Amino acid sequence: MRKLGAALVGLSSLLFLFVPLTQAEIRYEVGRVSYESYSDYTRVFIGLTPGTGYVVIDLRNPPRLKVNLYPANLSSVSKEIEVQDRFVKKVRLDQETEKVVRVVLDLNISDPTSSVDLSGDGSRLLIEIRGPEEDLVAAVLKEKEAPIVKKEEIPSVTLPQKREKAVYTIVLDPGHGGKDPGAIGRSTGLKEKDVTLKVAKELARLLKNEEGIRVYLTRNTDRYISLDRRTEIANQLGGGMFVSIHVNSGYRRRATGVETFFNSRYSYGEGAEEVAARENRPLGSENVPDEAKLIIWDLIQDEYRSESNDLAHIVQKEMVQTAGREDRGVKSAGFYVLKGAAMPAILVEIGFLSNASEERMLGKEDFREKIALGIFRGLKRYYENKW
Ligand SMILES: [Zn+2]
């Protein structure tokens, strides 16, 4: 079964062909929008001016896929294309800000798998929506088993009630990994990537026991993941919180203690810029995000800035108290790994590998457990208030 549909979004993209423009005068237009319906997936095509960047956000309740295009101009204020097939209800486009066009696919299925890709020449964006698939990341940590209700305990008249509380998804991001070791301790050679993974696993263990919490790790082995992929995973999982775990390496060897960051366009707090600069350049990273992507990512996290700020303060306080560490405070700066997160997002620096005594502590399980417990208490306080 195949259905073809098309809609013309902008005539100006045709005019564009006949008017010679210099590089500086390029107008980034959103062109023709069309779709193809198949029995097992739907494809939506959006014509673009090559050079247009995009960011994808999965949204639940109701299920939608949002794609922000930047820079991009829509010739009309808004546009709607009715699809009404198995996967997609309709496609909506509107000019969100001066240079950002928002594309929203209203979906007919609650658990979609999606992929978004640019054509080789950058002139077309292809969005594909399929049914649910076993997510590899989702399988990283097994969900708590559903409670088994014995047959005789089921009331004879009413059916078992659905759980009222929504499941709250927390995505933990152990910093670095694989070819990117992060900071390395001078006295024992302890690597940041190993410490962050151990702390994240411990934290996941604590969170897994909480009712209504689902926890995922962006990695659970020693492997390299790019910074943008980490946030992408969190967005795809529909995370309610994103926590990136890191270990500091100081400008001064004496520096000790813990600090928590959230993303902002301007740096705030002593040393914040240096920390961001270091964390934004993982060893062996091939592609540094371009300016357009960074701006659009900022727009996404901006919506959660005040919540990220709250979360950072709560976690920082609990971490300091539980682990008895020096309080370096909450700071903010531009962190690639936080920018694109469509949820409250923080980055914790749990100690200094550049300090010999903290390096020894970070190598010990009981210290890492205390840090994990501190972060856990902070997250718990935050989501309990949110509910
Ligand atoms: Zn790091």
Side-chain angles (χ1 to χ4, degrees):
M1 284 291 280
R2 189 178 162 168
K3 194 169 94 179
L4 273 169
L8 200 60
V9 160
L11 275 174
S12 44
S13 56
L14 296 174
L15 297 175
F16 189 66
L17 295 171
F18 308 108
V19 185
L21 292 173
T22 63
Q23 194 67 22
E25 292 168 316
I26 284 184
R27 217 179 120 75
Y28 290 86
E29 294 286 350
V30 175
R32 194 179 144 88
V33 177
S34 60
Y35 66 90
E36 294 175 355
S37 300
Y38 299 90
S39 59
D40 51 352
Y41 58 90
T42 300
R43 282 181 172 163
V44 175
F45 305 92
I46 297 167
L48 299 175
T49 303
T52 305
Y54 70 94
V55 171
V56 184
I57 309 157
D58 284 298
L59 299 166
R60 309 279 157 102
N61 304 322
R64 283 153 297 158
L65 184 82
K66 179 175 160 184
V67 181
N68 276 347
L69 304 170
Y70 176 92
N73 295 286
L74 201 61
S75 52
S76 50
V77 178
S78 63
K79 181 87 197 169
E80 257 189 46
I81 296 110
E82 293 287 329
V83 178
Q84 299 299 358
D85 65 7
R86 188 178 158 200
F87 301 101
V88 181
K89 275 198 186 91
K90 58 185 168 193
V91 182
R92 296 180 279 133
L93 295 97
D94 63 67
Q95 192 81 43
E96 187 167 63
T97 65
E98 196 193 338
K99 285 184 175 171
V100 175
V101 168
R102 176 175 58 185
V103 180
V104 178
L105 274 67
D106 293 309
L107 304 177
N108 276 324
I109 55 165
S110 58
D111 215 359
T113 309
S114 61
S115 68
V116 181
D117 270 312
L118 271 180
S119 61
D121 61 358
S123 69
R124 212 158 62 143
L125 191 73
L126 164 62
I127 304 171
E128 193 174 290
I129 307 289
R130 295 175 171 274
E133 252 169 43
E134 183 68 25
D135 195 307
L136 285 178
V137 180
V140 163
L141 285 170
K142 278 187 190 159
E143 284 174 44
K144 276 193 297 180
E145 297 209 356
I148 299 159
V149 183
K150 284 185 196 153
K151 215 178 176 182
E152 55 270 30
E153 287 170 7
I154 300 174
S156 53
V157 189
T158 49
L159 289 165
Q161 292 287 306
K162 258 190 171 178
R163 257 177 51 186
E164 291 277 301
K165 254 186 182 179
V167 173
Y168 202 96
T169 300
I170 298 178
V171 181
L172 305 177
D173 174 45
H176 311 274
K179 64 187 177 187
D180 168 29
I184 299 174
R186 291 193 183 92
S187 42
T188 66
L190 186 63
K191 295 186 182 91
E192 178 179 358
K193 65 173 183 177
D194 296 326
V195 178
T196 60
L197 183 58
K198 282 175 177 159
V199 170
K201 281 184 170 174
E202 172 63 17
L203 181 53
R205 195 184 63 78
L206 295 169
L207 287 165
K208 255 188 352 175
N209 295 325
E210 291 294 301
E211 199 198 337
I213 290 293
R214 195 175 286 160
V215 59
Y216 298 108
L217 298 177
T218 53
R219 67 177 179 100
N220 74 334
T221 55
D222 180 18
R223 69 187 183 100
Y224 175 80
I225 313 175
S226 67
L227 293 176
D228 48 348
R229 179 63 189 141
R230 292 168 192 262
T231 332
E232 198 177 70
I233 290 170
N235 289 342
Q236 281 172 355
L237 291 168
M241 260 192 252
F242 180 77
V243 183
S244 193
I245 300 165
H246 289 259
V247 186
N248 239 324
S249 172
Y251 16 103
R252 276 177 267 114
R253 284 198 194 188
R254 284 220 195 126
T256 58
V258 295
E259 52 195 21
T260 304
F261 291 87
F262 62 96
N263 183 67
S264 67
R265 294 181 196 206
Y266 305 101
S267 302
Y268 177 80
E270 193 206 332
E273 226 157 283
E274 287 89 334
V275 174
R278 188 162 40 75
E279 300 295 9
N280 285 343
R281 262 182 254 114
L283 211 71
S285 65
E286 300 85 19
N287 35 12
V288 174
D290 55 40
E291 190 70 22
K293 263 202 167 166
L294 291 178
I295 290 170
I296 207 166
W297 287 352
D298 264 329
L299 281 179
I300 294 170
Q301 178 57 208
D302 272 1
E303 284 185 39
Y304 299 90
R305 188 164 31 184
S306 121
E307 286 168 285
S308 297
N309 178 29
D310 292 347
L311 177 61
H313 277 93
I314 295 171
V315 168
Q316 173 69 10
K317 195 177 165 206
E318 294 291 342
M319 202 164 45
V320 166
Q321 281 178 358
T322 306
R325 304 309 302 146
E326 185 197 328
D327 186 357
R328 301 179 65 85
V330 168
K331 301 170 183 181
S332 64
F335 286 92
Y336 295 169
V337 75
L338 303 180
K339 279 179 194 290
M343 67 201 76
I346 58 169
L347 184 145
V348 293
E349 295 277 358
I350 60 171
F352 281 81
L353 269 175
S354 47
N355 179 286
S357 84
E358 289 211 341
E359 181 183 353
R360 271 195 304 279
M361 290 171 82
L362 288 158
K364 288 180 185 156
E365 197 179 349
D366 63 334
F367 177 75
R368 292 192 303 261
E369 279 174 7
K370 268 190 217 159
I371 287 285
L373 182 63
I375 301 171
F376 167 73
R377 286 178 175 160
L379 300 181
K380 191 173 157 77
R381 259 185 61 200
Y382 181 82
Y383 69 72
E384 278 175 353
N385 286 338
K386 284 283 149 189
W387 262 341

